[in-house]
Amino acid sequence: MPQATPVIILGAGLAGCCAALDLAQAGQSVTLIDRTPRPMMGASRHNEGKLHLGYVYAADPQLETHRLLAAGSLRFQDTVARLTRTPLAMQITSGCFNYIVPQDSARPVAALWDYVQTVDRTNAALAAEFGQAPLPPSRIADSGAISAFYAPGIQAVFTTPEIAVDPGRIADIVSAAVYADPLITFCGNSTVLGAGQTGSGGYAIDLAQGDDRVTIGADRVINALWEDRVRLDAMVGQDTPFVWSQRWKATVVIDVPPGALDLPSTTGFVGPYGDFVLYGDRRVYASWYPALRLSMSTTASPEEVRAQVAQSDPETLRRQALQGLATLMPGVAALQDQAARSRIGGGFIMAVGNTDIDDRASGLHERHQIGVEGSGRWLSISTGKFCTAPMFGVQAARMMIDEGAP
Ligand SMILES: Cc1cc2nc3c(=O)[nH]c(=O)nc-3n(C[C@H](O)[C@H](O)[C@H](O)COP(=O)(O)OP(=O)(O)OC[C@H]3O[C@@H](n4cnc5c(N)ncnc54)[C@H](O)[C@@H]3O)c2cc1C
Protein backbone atom coordinates (compact mmCIF):
# COMPACT_ATOMS: atom_id res chain seq x y z
CA MET A 1 0.00 0.00 0.00
CA PRO A 2 1.60 3.30 -1.09
CA GLN A 3 1.57 6.22 1.43
CA ALA A 4 0.68 8.79 -1.25
CA THR A 5 -0.29 8.43 -4.86
CA PRO A 6 -1.18 10.81 -7.71
CA VAL A 7 -4.46 9.13 -8.67
CA ILE A 8 -6.63 6.84 -6.52
CA ILE A 9 -9.63 5.04 -7.88
CA LEU A 10 -12.09 3.86 -5.24
CA GLY A 11 -13.94 0.71 -6.28
CA ALA A 12 -12.65 -2.00 -8.62
CA GLY A 13 -15.91 -2.75 -10.40
CA LEU A 14 -16.30 -2.35 -14.15
CA ALA A 15 -16.46 1.47 -13.94
CA GLY A 16 -13.38 1.80 -11.71
CA CYS A 17 -11.35 -0.82 -13.60
CA CYS A 18 -12.15 0.74 -16.99
CA ALA A 19 -11.09 4.16 -15.67
CA ALA A 20 -7.86 2.62 -14.32
CA LEU A 21 -7.09 0.77 -17.56
CA ASP A 22 -7.73 3.87 -19.68
CA LEU A 23 -5.55 6.06 -17.46
CA ALA A 24 -2.80 3.42 -17.52
CA GLN A 25 -2.96 3.27 -21.33
CA ALA A 26 -2.39 7.03 -21.28
CA GLY A 27 0.74 6.47 -19.16
CA GLN A 28 -0.77 7.46 -15.78
CA SER A 29 -0.03 5.28 -12.74
CA VAL A 30 -3.07 4.53 -10.62
CA THR A 31 -3.89 2.97 -7.25
CA LEU A 32 -7.13 0.97 -7.35
CA ILE A 33 -8.79 0.19 -4.01
CA ASP A 34 -11.49 -2.32 -3.12
CA ARG A 35 -12.93 -3.99 -0.04
CA THR A 36 -12.85 -7.39 -1.74
CA PRO A 37 -9.66 -9.41 -2.23
CA ARG A 38 -9.83 -9.24 -6.06
CA PRO A 39 -11.19 -6.80 -8.65
CA MET A 40 -14.64 -7.29 -10.20
CA MET A 41 -16.30 -9.14 -7.31
CA GLY A 42 -19.32 -6.83 -6.87
CA ALA A 43 -22.35 -6.06 -9.07
CA SER A 44 -20.16 -6.10 -12.17
CA ARG A 45 -19.66 -9.87 -11.79
CA HIS A 46 -23.10 -10.71 -10.41
CA ASN A 47 -25.48 -9.25 -12.95
CA GLU A 48 -27.31 -10.30 -16.08
CA GLY A 49 -24.89 -8.68 -18.53
CA LYS A 50 -27.65 -7.33 -20.74
CA LEU A 51 -26.36 -4.71 -23.15
CA HIS A 52 -29.50 -2.65 -22.85
CA LEU A 53 -30.72 -1.01 -26.00
CA GLY A 54 -33.58 0.52 -24.06
CA TYR A 55 -36.51 -1.84 -24.63
CA VAL A 56 -36.96 -2.54 -20.93
CA TYR A 57 -37.37 1.13 -20.08
CA ALA A 58 -40.74 1.45 -21.80
CA ALA A 59 -42.03 3.43 -18.81
CA ASP A 60 -39.58 6.31 -19.34
CA PRO A 61 -41.84 8.91 -20.95
CA GLN A 62 -38.96 11.09 -22.17
CA LEU A 63 -37.17 8.16 -23.93
CA GLU A 64 -33.92 9.52 -22.46
CA THR A 65 -32.95 6.27 -20.73
CA HIS A 66 -32.82 4.16 -23.83
CA ARG A 67 -30.59 6.60 -25.75
CA LEU A 68 -28.05 6.74 -22.97
CA LEU A 69 -28.00 2.99 -22.31
CA ALA A 70 -27.81 2.19 -26.02
CA ALA A 71 -24.88 4.59 -26.45
CA GLY A 72 -23.00 2.58 -23.81
CA SER A 73 -24.16 -0.83 -25.04
CA LEU A 74 -23.35 -0.35 -28.71
CA ARG A 75 -19.70 0.38 -27.83
CA PHE A 76 -19.43 -1.91 -24.78
CA GLN A 77 -17.73 -4.90 -26.37
CA ASP A 78 -15.21 -2.89 -28.43
CA THR A 79 -14.32 -0.71 -25.43
CA VAL A 80 -13.70 -3.73 -23.18
CA ALA A 81 -11.63 -5.40 -25.91
CA ARG A 82 -9.53 -2.25 -26.36
CA LEU A 83 -8.98 -1.58 -22.66
CA THR A 84 -8.12 -5.18 -21.82
CA ARG A 85 -6.22 -5.87 -25.06
CA THR A 86 -8.25 -9.08 -25.29
CA PRO A 87 -9.83 -10.28 -28.55
CA LEU A 88 -13.55 -9.67 -28.88
CA ALA A 89 -14.05 -13.39 -29.48
CA MET A 90 -13.14 -14.06 -25.84
CA GLN A 91 -16.40 -12.43 -24.73
CA ILE A 92 -19.31 -14.86 -24.56
CA THR A 93 -22.67 -13.53 -25.70
CA SER A 94 -26.30 -14.63 -25.64
CA GLY A 95 -28.63 -14.83 -28.60
CA CYS A 96 -31.10 -12.01 -29.28
CA PHE A 97 -33.60 -11.27 -26.51
CA ASN A 98 -37.28 -11.98 -26.81
CA TYR A 99 -39.41 -9.44 -24.96
CA ILE A 100 -42.59 -11.14 -23.84
CA VAL A 101 -45.79 -9.42 -22.73
CA PRO A 102 -47.54 -11.37 -19.95
CA GLN A 103 -51.28 -11.06 -19.42
CA ASP A 104 -50.91 -8.61 -16.51
CA SER A 105 -48.26 -6.38 -18.15
CA ALA A 106 -48.48 -2.77 -16.99
CA ARG A 107 -48.78 -1.58 -20.59
CA PRO A 108 -50.89 -2.76 -23.55
CA VAL A 109 -49.32 -4.70 -26.42
CA ALA A 110 -49.95 -2.01 -29.04
CA ALA A 111 -48.25 0.69 -26.95
CA LEU A 112 -45.30 -1.61 -26.29
CA TRP A 113 -44.88 -2.48 -29.96
CA ASP A 114 -44.94 1.26 -30.81
CA TYR A 115 -42.27 1.83 -28.17
CA VAL A 116 -40.10 -1.05 -29.44
CA GLN A 117 -40.21 0.41 -32.95
CA THR A 118 -39.29 3.87 -31.64
CA VAL A 119 -36.31 2.35 -29.83
CA ASP A 120 -35.32 0.52 -33.04
CA ARG A 121 -35.26 3.82 -34.95
CA THR A 122 -33.12 5.58 -32.35
CA ASN A 123 -30.73 2.64 -32.20
CA ALA A 124 -30.39 2.64 -35.99
CA ALA A 125 -29.41 6.33 -35.86
CA LEU A 126 -26.95 5.70 -33.02
CA ALA A 127 -25.35 2.72 -34.79
CA ALA A 128 -24.86 4.89 -37.90
CA GLU A 129 -23.36 7.65 -35.74
CA PHE A 130 -20.85 5.14 -34.31
CA GLY A 131 -20.02 3.79 -37.80
CA GLN A 132 -21.55 0.40 -36.99
CA ALA A 133 -23.58 -1.97 -39.17
CA PRO A 134 -27.34 -1.46 -38.81
CA LEU A 135 -29.06 -3.65 -36.22
CA PRO A 136 -31.82 -5.92 -37.47
CA PRO A 137 -35.23 -4.41 -36.66
CA SER A 138 -37.38 -6.05 -33.98
CA ARG A 139 -40.17 -8.32 -35.15
CA ILE A 140 -43.36 -9.83 -33.74
CA ALA A 141 -43.05 -13.58 -33.21
CA ASP A 142 -45.76 -15.76 -34.75
CA SER A 143 -48.05 -17.92 -32.66
CA GLY A 144 -46.00 -21.06 -33.40
CA ALA A 145 -42.85 -19.49 -32.00
CA ILE A 146 -44.77 -18.27 -28.97
CA SER A 147 -46.30 -21.62 -28.10
CA ALA A 148 -42.96 -23.41 -28.63
CA PHE A 149 -41.38 -21.65 -25.65
CA TYR A 150 -43.91 -19.68 -23.67
CA ALA A 151 -46.91 -20.31 -21.43
CA PRO A 152 -50.49 -19.87 -22.61
CA GLY A 153 -51.57 -16.33 -21.83
CA ILE A 154 -48.45 -14.60 -23.11
CA GLN A 155 -50.00 -11.81 -25.18
CA ALA A 156 -47.14 -11.11 -27.56
CA VAL A 157 -43.43 -11.75 -28.13
CA PHE A 158 -41.10 -9.20 -29.74
CA THR A 159 -37.75 -10.49 -30.95
CA THR A 160 -35.24 -7.66 -30.58
CA PRO A 161 -31.56 -7.29 -31.60
CA GLU A 162 -30.53 -6.90 -27.92
CA ILE A 163 -27.98 -9.34 -26.45
CA ALA A 164 -26.18 -9.99 -23.16
CA VAL A 165 -22.53 -10.73 -22.46
CA ASP A 166 -21.55 -13.27 -19.82
CA PRO A 167 -20.58 -10.94 -16.94
CA GLY A 168 -18.49 -13.66 -15.25
CA ARG A 169 -16.32 -13.90 -18.36
CA ILE A 170 -16.08 -10.08 -18.62
CA ALA A 171 -15.07 -9.93 -14.94
CA ASP A 172 -12.30 -12.50 -15.51
CA ILE A 173 -10.99 -10.64 -18.59
CA VAL A 174 -11.03 -7.24 -16.87
CA SER A 175 -9.42 -8.38 -13.61
CA ALA A 176 -6.66 -10.21 -15.55
CA ALA A 177 -5.94 -6.97 -17.45
CA VAL A 178 -5.80 -4.98 -14.18
CA TYR A 179 -3.28 -7.41 -12.66
CA ALA A 180 -1.22 -7.45 -15.88
CA ASP A 181 -0.83 -3.65 -16.11
CA PRO A 182 2.38 -2.46 -14.42
CA LEU A 183 0.94 1.06 -13.96
CA ILE A 184 -1.99 -0.19 -11.86
CA THR A 185 -1.49 -1.05 -8.17
CA PHE A 186 -4.46 -3.01 -6.91
CA CYS A 187 -5.07 -2.81 -3.14
CA GLY A 188 -7.66 -5.40 -2.15
CA ASN A 189 -9.12 -6.12 1.31
CA SER A 190 -9.19 -2.33 1.85
CA THR A 191 -12.53 -0.86 2.89
CA VAL A 192 -12.93 2.88 2.37
CA LEU A 193 -14.17 4.36 5.64
CA GLY A 194 -14.01 8.03 4.80
CA ALA A 195 -12.39 10.82 2.84
CA GLY A 196 -11.53 14.46 3.41
CA GLN A 197 -9.78 17.30 1.65
CA THR A 198 -6.22 18.19 2.60
CA GLY A 199 -4.74 21.69 2.76
CA SER A 200 -2.93 21.17 -0.54
CA GLY A 201 -6.19 20.56 -2.42
CA GLY A 202 -5.71 16.79 -2.52
CA TYR A 203 -7.53 14.13 -0.53
CA ALA A 204 -6.88 11.85 2.44
CA ILE A 205 -8.60 8.47 2.21
CA ASP A 206 -9.19 6.46 5.39
CA LEU A 207 -9.10 2.71 4.95
CA ALA A 208 -9.72 -0.37 7.08
CA GLN A 209 -7.45 -3.28 6.27
CA GLY A 210 -8.48 -6.05 8.61
CA ASP A 211 -7.98 -4.62 12.11
CA ASP A 212 -5.61 -1.89 10.86
CA ARG A 213 -6.58 1.69 10.03
CA VAL A 214 -4.55 3.40 7.28
CA THR A 215 -4.75 6.87 5.68
CA ILE A 216 -3.33 7.49 2.23
CA GLY A 217 -3.08 10.73 0.31
CA ALA A 218 -3.98 11.36 -3.32
CA ASP A 219 -3.79 14.36 -5.63
CA ARG A 220 -6.89 13.20 -7.49
CA VAL A 221 -9.66 10.69 -6.86
CA ILE A 222 -12.21 8.86 -8.96
CA ASN A 223 -15.03 7.54 -6.79
CA ALA A 224 -16.51 4.39 -8.36
CA LEU A 225 -17.83 2.78 -5.16
CA TRP A 226 -21.37 2.10 -6.46
CA GLU A 227 -23.21 1.17 -3.22
CA ASP A 228 -21.07 3.52 -1.08
CA ARG A 229 -20.47 6.27 -3.65
CA VAL A 230 -23.02 8.82 -2.48
CA ARG A 231 -21.79 8.65 1.15
CA LEU A 232 -18.18 9.31 0.12
CA ASP A 233 -19.15 12.16 -2.24
CA ALA A 234 -21.01 13.83 0.62
CA MET A 235 -17.90 13.62 2.83
CA VAL A 236 -16.00 15.84 0.39
CA GLY A 237 -18.90 18.26 -0.05
CA GLN A 238 -20.38 16.82 -3.25
CA ASP A 239 -23.96 16.18 -2.16
CA THR A 240 -26.43 14.44 -4.44
CA PRO A 241 -29.64 16.32 -5.31
CA PHE A 242 -31.52 12.98 -5.63
CA VAL A 243 -33.03 10.40 -3.28
CA TRP A 244 -31.17 7.16 -4.01
CA SER A 245 -32.47 3.70 -3.25
CA GLN A 246 -30.44 0.56 -3.03
CA ARG A 247 -31.86 -2.82 -3.88
CA TRP A 248 -30.11 -6.13 -3.48
CA LYS A 249 -30.97 -8.54 -6.24
CA ALA A 250 -29.84 -12.14 -6.09
CA THR A 251 -28.86 -14.13 -9.18
CA VAL A 252 -29.05 -17.78 -10.12
CA VAL A 253 -26.31 -18.99 -12.48
CA ILE A 254 -26.34 -22.55 -13.77
CA ASP A 255 -23.63 -24.27 -15.81
CA VAL A 256 -25.52 -26.58 -18.12
CA PRO A 257 -24.02 -29.35 -20.25
CA PRO A 258 -22.90 -27.83 -23.60
CA GLY A 259 -25.75 -27.69 -26.09
CA ALA A 260 -28.21 -29.35 -23.68
CA LEU A 261 -30.58 -26.39 -23.52
CA ASP A 262 -32.34 -24.63 -26.37
CA LEU A 263 -34.38 -21.77 -24.89
CA PRO A 264 -34.32 -18.16 -26.13
CA SER A 265 -32.98 -15.41 -23.88
CA THR A 266 -36.11 -13.70 -22.61
CA THR A 267 -37.31 -10.72 -20.60
CA GLY A 268 -40.86 -10.22 -19.34
CA PHE A 269 -42.15 -6.65 -19.60
CA VAL A 270 -43.56 -4.35 -18.21
CA GLY A 271 -43.64 -5.39 -14.55
CA PRO A 272 -41.90 -7.30 -11.75
CA TYR A 273 -41.20 -10.43 -13.82
CA GLY A 274 -37.83 -11.97 -14.59
CA ASP A 275 -35.18 -12.79 -17.14
CA PHE A 276 -33.72 -15.94 -18.62
CA VAL A 277 -30.36 -15.75 -20.40
CA LEU A 278 -28.34 -18.46 -22.13
CA TYR A 279 -24.73 -17.31 -22.68
CA GLY A 280 -23.10 -19.30 -25.45
CA ASP A 281 -24.43 -22.82 -25.08
CA ARG A 282 -23.49 -23.64 -21.50
CA ARG A 283 -24.30 -21.02 -18.90
CA VAL A 284 -27.72 -19.83 -17.76
CA TYR A 285 -28.79 -16.77 -15.77
CA ALA A 286 -32.21 -17.01 -14.21
CA SER A 287 -33.97 -14.25 -12.33
CA TRP A 288 -37.45 -13.78 -10.90
CA TYR A 289 -37.90 -10.34 -9.40
CA PRO A 290 -40.49 -11.13 -6.70
CA ALA A 291 -38.26 -13.87 -5.23
CA LEU A 292 -34.78 -12.45 -5.83
CA ARG A 293 -35.19 -8.77 -4.94
CA LEU A 294 -34.07 -9.29 -1.34
CA SER A 295 -33.98 -5.74 -0.06
CA MET A 296 -34.94 -2.22 -0.95
CA SER A 297 -34.10 0.82 1.14
CA THR A 298 -33.19 4.47 0.94
CA THR A 299 -31.48 4.45 4.35
CA ALA A 300 -29.86 1.05 5.04
CA SER A 301 -26.05 0.94 4.94
CA PRO A 302 -24.36 -1.58 2.63
CA GLU A 303 -23.30 -3.60 5.71
CA GLU A 304 -26.89 -3.78 6.97
CA VAL A 305 -28.06 -4.97 3.56
CA ARG A 306 -25.31 -7.62 3.36
CA ALA A 307 -26.24 -8.88 6.84
CA GLN A 308 -29.89 -9.12 5.81
CA VAL A 309 -29.03 -10.94 2.56
CA ALA A 310 -26.86 -13.44 4.46
CA GLN A 311 -30.03 -14.70 6.20
CA SER A 312 -31.57 -16.01 2.97
CA ASP A 313 -31.41 -19.66 2.00
CA PRO A 314 -29.69 -20.17 -1.41
CA GLU A 315 -31.60 -23.35 -2.19
CA THR A 316 -34.96 -21.63 -1.59
CA LEU A 317 -33.93 -18.71 -3.82
CA ARG A 318 -32.87 -21.07 -6.60
CA ARG A 319 -36.12 -23.04 -6.45
CA GLN A 320 -38.35 -19.95 -6.28
CA ALA A 321 -36.57 -18.22 -9.16
CA LEU A 322 -36.98 -21.20 -11.47
CA GLN A 323 -40.58 -21.74 -10.36
CA GLY A 324 -41.44 -18.10 -11.07
CA LEU A 325 -39.77 -18.05 -14.47
CA ALA A 326 -41.43 -21.35 -15.42
CA THR A 327 -44.84 -19.66 -15.14
CA LEU A 328 -43.82 -17.70 -18.27
CA MET A 329 -41.37 -20.21 -19.84
CA PRO A 330 -42.34 -23.75 -18.86
CA GLY A 331 -39.07 -25.21 -20.27
CA VAL A 332 -37.15 -23.56 -17.41
CA ALA A 333 -38.68 -26.06 -14.97
CA ALA A 334 -36.26 -28.71 -16.32
CA LEU A 335 -33.43 -26.78 -14.64
CA GLN A 336 -34.81 -27.64 -11.18
CA ASP A 337 -32.76 -30.86 -11.19
CA GLN A 338 -29.49 -28.95 -11.83
CA ALA A 339 -28.97 -27.85 -8.19
CA ALA A 340 -25.40 -29.15 -8.11
CA ARG A 341 -24.49 -26.98 -11.11
CA SER A 342 -26.10 -23.81 -9.70
CA ARG A 343 -24.59 -20.82 -7.90
CA ILE A 344 -26.39 -18.03 -6.07
CA GLY A 345 -24.81 -14.59 -6.30
CA GLY A 346 -26.14 -11.08 -6.30
CA GLY A 347 -25.37 -7.43 -5.94
CA PHE A 348 -26.57 -3.92 -5.28
CA ILE A 349 -28.67 -1.96 -7.73
CA MET A 350 -28.46 1.78 -7.09
CA ALA A 351 -31.07 4.04 -8.63
CA VAL A 352 -32.81 7.35 -8.10
CA GLY A 353 -36.27 6.71 -6.67
CA ASN A 354 -37.89 5.61 -3.45
CA THR A 355 -40.65 3.26 -4.61
CA ASP A 356 -40.31 -0.14 -6.27
CA ILE A 357 -40.88 -1.03 -9.92
CA ASP A 358 -44.55 -1.97 -9.45
CA ASP A 359 -45.18 1.80 -9.05
CA ARG A 360 -45.46 3.17 -12.59
CA ALA A 361 -44.30 6.58 -11.37
CA SER A 362 -41.19 5.14 -9.70
CA GLY A 363 -37.88 6.73 -10.63
CA LEU A 364 -36.52 3.19 -11.10
CA HIS A 365 -38.10 3.16 -14.58
CA GLU A 366 -35.64 5.84 -15.66
CA ARG A 367 -31.83 5.71 -15.59
CA HIS A 368 -30.70 8.89 -17.26
CA GLN A 369 -29.56 10.83 -14.16
CA ILE A 370 -26.25 8.99 -14.46
CA GLY A 371 -22.73 9.66 -15.71
CA VAL A 372 -19.56 11.28 -14.42
CA GLU A 373 -20.23 13.90 -11.76
CA GLY A 374 -18.00 16.51 -10.16
CA SER A 375 -15.03 18.32 -11.53
CA GLY A 376 -11.50 19.20 -10.59
CA ARG A 377 -9.72 16.66 -8.46
CA TRP A 378 -12.68 14.53 -7.30
CA LEU A 379 -14.77 12.79 -9.96
CA SER A 380 -17.61 10.43 -9.15
CA ILE A 381 -18.96 7.79 -11.53
CA SER A 382 -22.68 7.27 -11.21
CA THR A 383 -22.50 4.11 -13.32
CA GLY A 384 -26.20 3.51 -13.77
CA LYS A 385 -25.83 0.14 -15.46
CA PHE A 386 -23.23 -2.47 -16.38
CA CYS A 387 -23.66 -1.57 -20.05
CA THR A 388 -22.69 2.06 -19.41
CA ALA A 389 -19.76 1.30 -17.06
CA PRO A 390 -16.99 1.21 -19.73
CA MET A 391 -18.31 4.40 -21.37
CA PHE A 392 -18.40 6.33 -18.08
CA GLY A 393 -15.11 4.81 -16.82
CA VAL A 394 -13.32 6.05 -19.94
CA GLN A 395 -15.10 9.42 -19.70
CA ALA A 396 -13.87 9.88 -16.11
CA ALA A 397 -10.32 8.96 -17.12
CA ARG A 398 -10.38 11.46 -20.01
CA MET A 399 -11.78 14.21 -17.79
CA MET A 400 -8.99 13.58 -15.30
CA ILE A 401 -6.36 13.77 -18.05
CA ASP A 402 -7.94 16.91 -19.54
CA GLU A 403 -7.92 18.52 -16.12
CA GLY A 404 -4.20 17.93 -15.88
CA ALA A 405 -3.64 14.69 -13.99
CA PRO A 406 0.02 14.66 -12.98
C1 LIG B 1 -28.76 -8.87 -10.25
C2 LIG B 1 -28.34 -7.70 -11.08
C3 LIG B 1 -28.62 -7.70 -12.44
C4 LIG B 1 -28.22 -6.61 -13.22
N1 LIG B 1 -28.41 -6.69 -14.56
C5 LIG B 1 -27.90 -5.73 -15.36
C6 LIG B 1 -27.96 -5.86 -16.77
O1 LIG B 1 -28.46 -6.86 -17.31
N2 LIG B 1 -27.45 -4.87 -17.54
C7 LIG B 1 -26.89 -3.75 -17.00
O2 LIG B 1 -26.47 -2.88 -17.76
N3 LIG B 1 -26.80 -3.60 -15.65
C8 LIG B 1 -27.27 -4.57 -14.83
N4 LIG B 1 -27.15 -4.46 -13.46
C9 LIG B 1 -26.51 -3.25 -12.89
C10 LIG B 1 -24.98 -3.38 -12.97
O3 LIG B 1 -24.55 -4.59 -12.41
C11 LIG B 1 -24.32 -2.23 -12.24
O4 LIG B 1 -24.88 -1.02 -12.70
C12 LIG B 1 -22.81 -2.15 -12.51
O5 LIG B 1 -22.20 -3.42 -12.42
C13 LIG B 1 -22.15 -1.18 -11.52
O6 LIG B 1 -20.78 -1.14 -11.81
P1 LIG B 1 -19.82 -0.40 -10.82
O7 LIG B 1 -18.44 -0.60 -11.30
O8 LIG B 1 -20.27 1.00 -10.61
O9 LIG B 1 -20.08 -1.14 -9.42
P2 LIG B 1 -19.46 -2.51 -8.82
O10 LIG B 1 -19.19 -3.49 -9.86
O11 LIG B 1 -20.35 -2.92 -7.71
O12 LIG B 1 -18.09 -1.99 -8.25
C14 LIG B 1 -18.02 -1.21 -7.06
C15 LIG B 1 -16.86 -1.75 -6.26
O13 LIG B 1 -16.72 -0.94 -5.10
C16 LIG B 1 -16.41 -1.77 -4.00
N5 LIG B 1 -16.81 -1.06 -2.78
C17 LIG B 1 -18.04 -0.63 -2.43
N6 LIG B 1 -17.99 0.02 -1.26
C18 LIG B 1 -16.70 0.00 -0.87
C19 LIG B 1 -16.00 0.54 0.24
N7 LIG B 1 -16.61 1.24 1.22
N8 LIG B 1 -14.66 0.35 0.31
C20 LIG B 1 -13.98 -0.32 -0.66
N9 LIG B 1 -14.59 -0.86 -1.73
C21 LIG B 1 -15.94 -0.70 -1.84
C22 LIG B 1 -17.18 -3.04 -4.24
O14 LIG B 1 -16.57 -4.14 -3.58
C23 LIG B 1 -17.10 -3.17 -5.77
O15 LIG B 1 -16.02 -3.99 -6.19
C24 LIG B 1 -27.56 -5.51 -12.63
C25 LIG B 1 -27.27 -5.51 -11.25
C26 LIG B 1 -27.64 -6.60 -10.49
C27 LIG B 1 -27.28 -6.62 -9.03
Side-chain angles (χ1 to χ4, degrees):
M1 170 65 70
Q3 292 304 300
T5 176
V7 176
I8 287 189
I9 297 179
L10 308 177
L14 191 55
C17 288
C18 287
L21 290 165
D22 200 55
L23 280 164
Q25 286 190 6
Q28 174 68 58
S29 58
V30 174
T31 302
L32 181 59
I33 290 175
D34 206 284
R35 56 182 288 281
T36 59
R38 290 181 285 134
M40 298 290 290
M41 299 291 283
S44 294
R45 180 178 287 275
H46 300 285
N47 75 86
E48 180 186 337
K50 182 183 272 189
L51 300 183
H52 285 277
L53 293 174
Y55 301 103
V56 86
Y57 288 96
D60 172 2
Q62 305 303 323
L63 304 176
E64 286 176 80
T65 305
H66 94 78
R67 279 191 213 100
L68 193 52
L69 300 193
S73 294
L74 289 170
R75 292 171 296 177
F76 181 99
Q77 291 190 268
D78 286 343
T79 306
V80 170
R82 176 182 70 77
L83 291 173
T84 60
R85 298 187 164 99
T86 308
L88 207 60
M90 293 294 285
Q91 300 176 25
I92 301 173
T93 58
S94 73
C96 288
F97 269 84
N98 279 345
Y99 274 74
I100 65 174
V101 188
Q103 215 142 36
D104 55 353
S105 170
R107 297 198 65 194
V109 171
L112 288 172
W113 178 236
D114 274 357
Y115 175 76
V116 164
Q117 290 176 294
T118 305
V119 171
D120 278 357
R121 283 191 291 275
T122 312
N123 289 334
L126 273 174
E129 190 184 319
F130 300 147
Q132 297 181 351
L135 296 165
S138 302
R139 55 191 168 76
I140 301 178
D142 61 32
S143 56
I146 299 179
S147 59
F149 297 115
Y150 300 110
I154 296 297
Q155 301 185 66
V157 175
F158 308 134
T159 300
T160 71
E162 194 172 72
I163 59 164
V165 286
D166 181 343
R169 173 59 72 89
I170 295 288
D172 290 343
I173 290 171
V174 169
S175 60
V178 164
Y179 283 123
D181 199 311
L183 289 179
I184 302 176
T185 305
F186 174 68
C187 299
N189 295 316
S190 302
T191 300
V192 181
L193 300 176
Q197 243 171 325
T198 61
S200 60
Y203 294 92
I205 310 292
D206 298 324
L207 303 174
Q209 295 176 321
D211 291 336
D212 295 334
R213 298 289 175 269
V214 181
T215 299
I216 59 170
D219 290 330
R220 290 160 195 276
V221 176
I222 293 177
N223 177 6
L225 287 178
W226 190 231
E227 68 265 27
D228 218 6
R229 184 186 69 88
V230 170
R231 181 180 73 87
L232 263 292
D233 281 354
M235 292 181 107
V236 297
Q238 295 193 12
D239 289 305
T240 175
F242 303 115
V243 175
W244 285 84
S245 67
Q246 57 179 337
R247 287 172 291 159
W248 178 279
K249 194 170 152 197
T251 58
V252 179
V253 174
I254 308 169
D255 291 319
V256 291
L261 202 64
D262 183 21
L263 292 174
S265 292
T266 298
T267 292
F269 84 149
V270 174
Y273 304 117
D275 302 82
F276 170 88
V277 189
L278 179 59
Y279 311 103
D281 68 349
R282 60 192 68 186
R283 186 173 290 174
V284 161
Y285 168 99
S287 146
W288 185 248
Y289 195 79
L292 298 187
R293 200 279 273 138
L294 299 185
S295 83
M296 169 157 187
S297 168
T298 53
T299 54
S301 69
E303 288 68 31
E304 287 166 341
V305 173
R306 286 192 195 97
Q308 180 188 340
V309 167
Q311 309 294 319
S312 49
D313 171 40
E315 174 52 20
T316 306
L317 295 181
R318 186 192 70 83
R319 214 169 356 88
Q320 289 178 340
L322 295 176
Q323 255 168 17
L325 259 184
T327 62
L328 304 181
M329 289 180 80
V332 169
L335 290 166
Q336 288 287 18
D337 59 11
Q338 300 289 331
R341 293 168 169 268
S342 305
R343 296 185 295 283
I344 301 295
F348 287 96
I349 300 181
M350 308 302 298
V352 171
N354 54 6
T355 54
D356 210 342
I357 59 170
D358 47 5
D359 172 12
R360 272 208 65 190
S362 169
L364 305 192
H365 297 300
E366 302 183 23
R367 290 298 161 84
H368 51 83
Q369 306 98 329
I370 55 176
V372 184
E373 298 169 358
S375 61
R377 295 180 173 206
W378 181 282
L379 298 177
S380 179
I381 306 179
S382 177
T383 316
K385 301 292 280 183
F386 177 74
C387 60
T388 42
M391 175 171 77
F392 292 145
V394 168
Q395 193 180 326
R398 300 293 160 91
M399 283 169 73
M400 190 144 280
I401 291 165
D402 288 350
E403 293 186 16

